Amino acid sequence: MRDPGLIAAPSVDPATVRVTFEYVACATVWLLVGTLAGLIASIKLHWPEFLPYAWLSFGRVRPAHTNLVLFGWASLVLVGLALYVVARTSRVPLWSPRLARVALGLWNLALLGGLVTLLAGVNRGPQEYREWVWPLAVVLAAAVLIDGYVAYRTVAARTLPEVYVSNWYILGGFCYLPILYVTSYLPFYQGGIGNTVVQGYYMHNAMGMWFTQLALGVSYYAIPRLLGRPVYSYALGVLGFWTNLLFYPLIGAHHFIFSPVAWWLQTTAILFSVGMMVPVWAGTGNLLLTFKGGSGMVRRSYALPFFVVGLIGYGLASTQGTIEAFRTANIYLHFTNFTVGHSHATMYGFIVFIAWGAVYGLVPRLTGREPSPLAVGVHFWLALVGILTYVIAISTAGILQGLAWVAGQSFIASVIAAEPMWLWRTVGGLLMAGGHVVFAVNVWAMRPQRVVVPAPAPNAVGMPA
Ligand code: HEM
Ligand code: HEM
């Protein structure tokens, strides 16, 4: 099947344009706040006297960072883009932009409440990525359900017989996140070993069944659209979708290798982590092969290089995850900073780069306004050099920690070994933060005009008409 973007599509209605842009703009604000929290957390690890206030202590700033960058930035930007993609690939206007705007209000309310309560020290304890107290979780869940409903009604109203592969991924993500979120908040899973198993299930499925699904769904639309050619293999896209669904839900216990979680469940998680190589390489290979012969386009476009980095990040960092899951590797790497390196290599190196590529590739078509290519280039290089510095430094710290612990050295020896790397992490973080500020300026430059004009000339943004 051809990419639907290549067939003449109806012009985008102004309400869809506005609401998509509002999601991207709000996400950008949360990106800046979340980045600031990450930077503060990072500085505190090598300069503990920095900002010595209780509300800015490491234990409060860290979850503020993770929740803001995961739910405020990555989720909101991908939901905004996904709502646009479902409308375009279904050849209909978005079903109820007004309801989508209500959902955006709920997202922002939950995020603001989450930020205030976490900094005030009000949380549910060490339940990673689900630290928010339940009333805020209910508001967030309502927002996700509404967005999912809007996406579903849009696809249901499509004027084509097929459901394009992007929509499989996007609707899949919207179905799975509520299941995950409700499971993780159920009162009878909040203690003992059951809580640990649910924590692993929730943590990695949020990554694989939410962020990955939305990022791949948006990529399956945007990449062929930008390159002006169909996706390399439609069948591989569908294979990736079903195998992701098959393997992901059972890999959660790989977070707790050598823990009191049942040994057979750990082994199952390791086996399924190996199985994950099927969807990962089906997706990475399929989308990278779509670029075959298009290196000239990549050089001319400012959006496509973000996708290239994001796809390479997806393939390599996920393979790293599979290796980390093996007991022989995990014995050295678990509890160390190596996991933080993997988190940023995947979430940033894959998800965030894809989101940026899609913003730069799709938003100018919507609003008729482009950012300065120079500013996009500055953003790209700051983010790329920043994340490489971050990941290399913190992964080295993790290896040094693991080696020290396995050798039976004192804990403080591992702290002394890792400390210079924490400083380098801050250097990388500062570069990334600089890139985020430039990105915010670029988003402002792409804001919709009062009267929506036709999309810019194809050559300007390297897209087919
Ligand atoms: C083949 C696919 C993948 C496998 C097998 C895998 C494996 C792992 C393993 C074994 C850990 C735990 C390490 C430890 O604690 O000892 C981990 C942590 C993590 N992974 Fe992955 N990974 C994969 C892909 C991804 C992707 C695509 C993302 C993001 C979209 C991601 C995000 C994370 C995050 C955020 C953590 C840290 C969780 C925490 O402890 O807070 N992973 N991964
Ligand atoms: C905007 C993109 C970013 C995303 C999606 C992101 C994501 C994450 C995630 C998932 C974790 C949990 C890691 C784990 O438990 O394994 C984390 C922790 C952290 N992040 Fe980020 N991050 C981003 C940017 C940054 C930046 C720019 C900095 C600045 C240095 C930063 C500094 C930190 C620190 C210090 C931690 C705590 C690590 C620890 O507990 O040792 N992050 N981030």
Side-chain angles (χ1 to χ4, degrees):
M1 183 186 160
R2 279 163 61 83
D3 159 56
L6 302 180
I7 308 162
S11 60
V12 185
D13 69 302
T16 308
V17 173
R18 267 197 308 279
V19 81
T20 302
F21 188 80
E22 282 163 14
Y23 271 81
V24 173
C26 291
T28 308
V29 172
W30 291 119
L31 170 67
L32 294 180
V33 185
T35 301
L36 184 65
L39 268 179
I40 296 174
S42 179
I43 294 171
K44 276 172 179 281
L45 287 176
H46 53 84
W47 181 11
E49 299 82 20
F50 180 64
L51 300 175
Y53 313 111
W55 63 282
L56 287 180
S57 55
F58 182 84
R60 297 190 191 182
V61 173
R62 186 191 195 278
H65 165 64
T66 51
N67 283 285
L68 285 185
V69 290
L70 295 181
F71 295 116
W73 155 240
S75 294
L76 267 194
V77 70
L78 287 172
V79 168
L81 294 165
L83 291 180
Y84 167 65
V85 169
V86 291
R88 279 310 275 228
T89 54
S90 304
R91 304 276 203 294
V92 288
L94 185 67
W95 186 83
S96 189
R98 187 177 296 178
L99 210 51
R101 191 166 291 121
V102 171
L104 178 61
L106 294 175
W107 276 98
N108 284 328
L109 182 69
L111 288 159
L112 191 63
L115 176 63
V116 171
T117 48
L118 288 179
L119 292 185
V122 180
N123 58 56
R124 298 173 66 248
Q127 318 263 45
E128 209 172 6
Y129 316 142
R130 49 183 180 135
E131 294 94 344
W132 289 358
V133 288
W134 70 263
L136 294 172
V138 169
V139 177
L140 184 96
V144 175
L145 286 174
I146 295 174
D147 278 327
Y149 187 62
V150 171
Y152 164 73
R153 288 296 299 259
T154 308
V155 176
R158 71 191 180 281
T159 55
L160 299 165
E162 305 92 356
V163 174
Y164 183 63
V165 66
S166 288
N167 298 333
W168 291 56
Y169 283 93
I170 291 170
L171 291 182
F174 276 118
C175 287
Y176 209 83
L177 186 66
I179 298 174
L180 206 57
Y181 211 60
V182 168
T183 313
S184 77
Y185 272 84
L186 283 178
F188 38 88
Y189 287 141
Q190 302 302 319
I193 208 73
N195 186 31
T196 308
V197 173
V198 166
Q199 176 63 36
Y201 169 73
Y202 168 70
M203 207 151 57
H204 224 137
N205 280 279
M207 305 301 153
M209 301 302 290
W210 174 242
F211 295 114
T212 302
Q213 297 270 86
L214 291 192
L216 291 179
V218 169
S219 301
Y220 270 108
Y221 171 74
I223 293 175
R225 188 94 181 85
L226 292 168
L227 287 168
R229 58 174 69 161
V231 67
Y232 176 74
S233 161
Y234 194 79
L236 265 182
V238 176
L239 175 84
F241 173 80
W242 286 111
T243 47
N244 208 41
L245 194 61
L246 173 69
F247 292 118
Y248 239 116
L250 273 173
I251 68 174
H254 68 204
H255 290 265
F256 301 106
I257 306 289
F258 297 114
S259 73
V261 169
W263 194 256
W264 63 264
L265 189 57
Q266 297 178 29
T267 308
T268 309
I270 297 169
L271 285 174
F272 277 62
S273 299
V274 176
M276 273 304 299
M277 288 291 90
V278 178
V280 165
W281 285 103
T284 308
N286 197 13
L287 288 166
L288 281 179
L289 282 169
T290 306
F291 282 82
K292 213 164 117 196
S295 56
M297 291 282 280
V298 177
R299 272 198 302 276
R300 279 201 308 278
S301 156
Y302 49 67
L304 287 172
F306 285 93
F307 279 109
V308 174
V309 171
L311 291 174
I312 295 175
Y314 178 41
L316 292 185
S318 298
T319 306
Q320 176 200 42
T322 296
I323 295 168
E324 258 183 280
F326 286 115
R327 289 196 172 93
T328 35
N330 204 267
I331 200 161
Y332 288 98
L333 301 175
H334 187 58
F335 291 132
T336 72
N337 283 171
F338 197 86
T339 306
V340 182
H342 169 71
S343 315
H344 287 82
T346 48
M347 271 310 298
Y348 199 97
F350 162 39
I351 302 288
V352 174
F353 266 82
I354 294 280
W356 281 328
V359 168
Y360 287 132
L362 302 180
V363 174
R365 282 191 71 80
L366 280 172
T367 63
R369 281 182 159 161
E370 286 186 79
S372 134
L374 179 67
V376 180
V378 172
H379 169 204
F380 177 82
W381 286 109
L382 282 175
L384 185 60
V385 176
I387 188 63
L388 286 175
T389 310
Y390 184 126
V391 171
I392 293 171
I394 213 66
S395 307
T396 309
I399 293 169
L400 293 175
Q401 289 168 328
L403 290 175
W405 297 342
V406 171
Q409 292 177 14
S410 68
F411 183 75
I412 199 66
S414 70
V415 174
I416 292 166
E419 199 192 348
M421 301 302 147
W422 293 338
L423 189 59
W424 276 108
R425 185 234 309 257
T426 298
V427 172
L430 283 168
L431 295 175
M432 290 149 80
H436 301 171
V437 173
V438 179
F439 171 66
V441 173
N442 292 342
V443 169
W444 176 249
M446 291 185 279
R447 69 195 179 282
Q449 304 176 10
R450 279 181 191 283
V451 181
V452 178
V453 297
N459 283 348
V461 284
M463 284 186 241

